[in-house]
Amino acid sequence: MPFFRAGTGIYFFAHVPKCAGSSVEDYLRDRFGRPGFVDNRFLRRPEAERWTRTSPQHADWATVERLFGPDFFDGAFAVVRHPLSRAVSAYHFQVEVEKTAPAGIGFGDWLQEMRARQARDPFAIDNHFRPQTDFLPPGCTLFHLEHGVDALVPYLDRLTGTTGGPRAIGHTNRRGAGKAAPDPAAAALAAEIYAEDFRRLGYRPDRPDPVAAPPALDPRTVAEAAAARARSARPDRRLAARVRRRLRRWAGA
């Protein structure tokens, strides 16, 4: 789970897999320097050479607390997502990118298979199947992905007492939309598996958006984010950002 230093404080980003974690990590790197406890080349190493069961950035909170203690960090925040939407995203990622799931397996069958697998191995598929609540320390400030991530920028301004760096968070691993909706049986199974996420994170199985209203953003924050996104949308900026990200991941930085 990434952490970073700003001024005299050390702050913790609870990276929940499939909740814009890579995008936030890239933003933190651009603003505060390389975060600690991140290894983007972890899964490229032979299994016998890996020092732990998951990549550091996907460690659950119980593991982080054992390593650092409960009071090591001066603040903590996370981005969370509707549990069903996150499960669908994890399914497609494992089928299409990581290739850990059998070709042609349906979402409901994958959920059943992964529930049985995680009962044997809680760290399966780099913690992508694990409930979101497992990643969150007590008192963690939550941001809902459905509301966007613009509110993170002024939050970090207040948290760290700084206002430098980028004024918008980009999209590092954006993938195509248009995925098929799960059938009712699969959706009900996801609601059962992630019941604690639904209970604690402000979501309901029968609606796609969070129960809470989106955070209010002042006009200056909105204008700065829009201007930053317009600049980053220029073809030369997109190409430069893509090359920079690939070089970082190749180097493990």
Side-chain angles (χ1 to χ4, degrees):
M1 307 300 279
F3 59 87
F4 61 99
R5 181 185 295 279
T8 59
I10 299 177
Y11 304 99
F12 177 66
F13 168 48
H15 178 156
V16 180
K18 307 312 298 176
C19 293
S22 295
S23 297
V24 176
E25 283 176 8
D26 281 344
Y27 176 83
L28 295 175
R29 184 181 287 105
D30 290 340
R31 180 166 175 177
F32 301 108
R34 180 180 175 182
F37 223 53
V38 174
D39 182 0
N40 290 319
R41 294 179 63 84
F42 179 85
L43 295 178
R44 301 182 192 178
R45 295 185 173 86
E47 190 169 351
E49 297 179 7
R50 299 174 190 171
W51 72 281
T52 188
R53 297 290 304 283
T54 69
S55 56
Q57 56 268 31
H58 288 178
D60 61 286
W61 172 247
T63 298
V64 175
E65 187 177 28
R66 282 196 301 272
L67 292 171
F68 293 94
D71 302 317
F72 183 84
F73 302 104
D74 296 296
F77 65 98
V79 178
V80 297
R81 182 178 188 175
H82 192 285
L84 179 58
S85 172
R86 175 178 176 253
V88 169
S89 178
Y91 159 73
H92 282 283
F93 188 71
Q94 296 305 316
V95 170
E96 300 163 12
V97 179
E98 295 293 325
K99 311 292 187 183
T100 67
I105 190 171
F107 176 63
D109 290 337
W110 179 78
L111 282 177
Q112 291 279 19
E113 181 179 292
M114 282 305 308
R115 179 161 69 169
R117 181 176 173 184
Q118 195 182 47
R120 303 187 303 269
D121 176 11
F123 303 98
I125 59 170
D126 200 27
N127 271 347
H128 276 83
F129 191 76
R130 198 166 191 140
Q132 297 175 71
T133 48
D134 283 3
F135 298 90
L136 307 178
C140 184
T141 299
L142 300 183
F143 297 86
H144 296 91
L145 183 60
E146 294 80 6
H147 292 156
V149 291
D150 285 349
L152 269 170
V153 176
Y155 166 79
L156 289 168
D157 292 347
R158 295 189 299 270
L159 185 73
T160 65
T162 66
T163 56
R167 307 313 293 168
I169 298 174
H171 298 275
T172 297
N173 288 330
R174 176 183 289 186
R175 302 178 64 240
K179 301 179 177 65
D183 61 45
L189 178 58
E192 177 185 333
I193 293 171
Y194 296 113
E196 186 67 4
D197 285 353
F198 279 107
R199 189 182 72 82
R200 290 180 50 191
L201 302 182
Y203 292 101
R204 285 175 21 190
D206 60 344
R207 58 182 289 178
D209 53 328
V211 174
L217 298 176
D218 64 70
R220 178 177 177 180
T221 296
V222 174
E224 288 179 340
R229 275 192 288 269
R231 289 192 297 271
S232 66
R234 288 169 39 188
D236 59 328
R237 294 287 186 94
R238 287 203 307 269
L239 177 61
R242 190 178 303 118
V243 170
R244 186 166 57 249
R245 287 194 299 267
R246 289 184 178 180
L247 287 174
R248 284 172 175 171
R249 275 156 175 68
W250 180 83

